[in-house]
Amino acid sequence: MAEQRVAIVTGGSRGIGRDSAERLARDGMAVVVVCAGNEAEANAAVEAITAGGGRAIAARADVADEQAVAAVFDRAEAEFGGVDVVVHAAARMVLAPLAELDLDELDSMHRTNIRGTFVVGQQAARRVRDGGAIINFSTSVLALAIPGYSGYAASKGAVEAITLILARELRGRDITVNAVAPGPTATSLFLDGKDEETIARMAAQPPLERLGNPSDIAEVVSFLAGPARWINGQTIRANGGIA
């Protein structure tokens, strides 16, 4: 019998991360659901996976804290024997025009989104088993260039650069490194602070005329984590054709 593959999913307690964790479990992987602080939601994700016959554990870590992230990988190896897939979905989003963006908020967002990608990527590069996959998260806002998103988009531009370079640095390991760039997706991160008119307008923009669902993005994660062995160093824009 083939050894069970093991996935670590940061930001796995809610939204796209939660759907990705549950989808990878349905694909047959053991999953470590990583949260920043909402342990109740992380435990609920674990319960949903185990209720469906899967294997999962919850872990808490600030993704920008290298010791905390190393401890998550230690636990995955101790519980499940190794790590094959890392899905780095944890992120912060603070919106404001560039001229008005609070610089402390910018620093905090970039600590999570850029330093966090480095920290998670370092452990993944050192510890993912040959034949594995590393999946980061960008955003389709990079192409859309929506006012108010400069700080967030800048952080995700960094993620795309890191993704391509890490893919090349892992030459010879048979490890793919890709990023997923969702468009407007019906998660609390996207919906919070927007009125119904704004949400309806954004939902009408893609040719498919709807918001994405977290499950739509989880499908792409599943593809990159499993059969998509010839896709490497790419950013997949999962946005319904918006850009």
Side-chain angles (χ1 to χ4, degrees):
M1 181 178 173
E3 188 173 18
Q4 186 177 29
R5 298 180 85 214
V6 179
I8 291 174
V9 182
T10 72
S13 63
R14 300 197 311 167
I16 290 169
R18 168 82 175 259
D19 271 58
S20 296
E22 294 185 9
R23 175 56 196 262
L24 293 179
R26 292 197 299 274
D27 290 343
M29 298 186 198
V31 180
V32 180
V33 178
V34 183
C35 68
N38 198 331
E39 293 178 272
E41 289 285 353
N43 288 329
V46 167
E47 290 169 10
I49 289 168
T50 55
R55 300 172 71 201
I57 57 174
R60 181 175 178 175
D62 171 0
V63 293
D65 180 336
E66 60 269 37
Q67 293 179 326
V69 172
V72 169
F73 278 75
D74 290 343
R75 188 161 175 220
E77 291 172 348
E79 293 275 348
F80 298 131
V83 179
D84 301 283
V85 173
V86 174
V87 178
H88 179 43
R92 286 196 68 220
M93 182 169 68
V94 179
L95 303 181
L98 185 147
E100 301 168 16
L101 182 60
D102 182 279
L103 294 181
D104 288 337
E105 292 275 24
L106 177 71
D107 289 344
S108 177
M109 179 166 57
H110 283 193
R111 182 180 184 275
T112 297
N113 296 1
I114 301 177
R115 179 186 168 95
T117 301
F118 264 98
V119 169
V120 173
Q122 282 186 335
Q123 291 298 316
R126 296 167 184 168
R127 300 169 75 166
V128 166
R129 292 186 284 208
D130 290 2
I134 300 168
I135 302 162
N136 292 321
F137 268 82
S138 179
T139 173
S140 287
V141 166
L142 276 180
L144 296 171
I146 301 171
Y149 282 79
S150 59
Y152 180 69
S155 73
K156 293 303 189 174
V159 170
E160 293 196 16
I162 293 164
T163 298
L164 174 56
I165 292 169
L166 182 57
R168 294 179 173 178
E169 290 176 345
L170 294 181
R171 175 182 292 273
R173 295 272 303 280
D174 190 28
I175 295 172
T176 62
V177 188
N178 293 291
V180 181
T185 304
T187 65
S188 59
L189 183 72
F190 169 77
L191 296 173
D192 285 353
K194 294 184 176 70
D195 59 34
E196 289 187 15
E197 182 183 354
T198 298
I199 293 168
R201 185 178 70 252
M202 296 185 79
Q205 288 178 325
L208 298 179
E209 296 186 323
R210 66 174 177 86
L211 293 177
N213 294 311
S215 59
D216 294 320
I217 312 305
E219 290 280 353
V220 182
V221 170
S222 172
F223 178 58
L224 294 173
R229 300 306 305 165
W230 198 232
I231 298 176
N232 193 25
Q234 304 300 311
T235 299
I236 309 298
R237 306 206 178 279
N239 58 32
I242 197 171

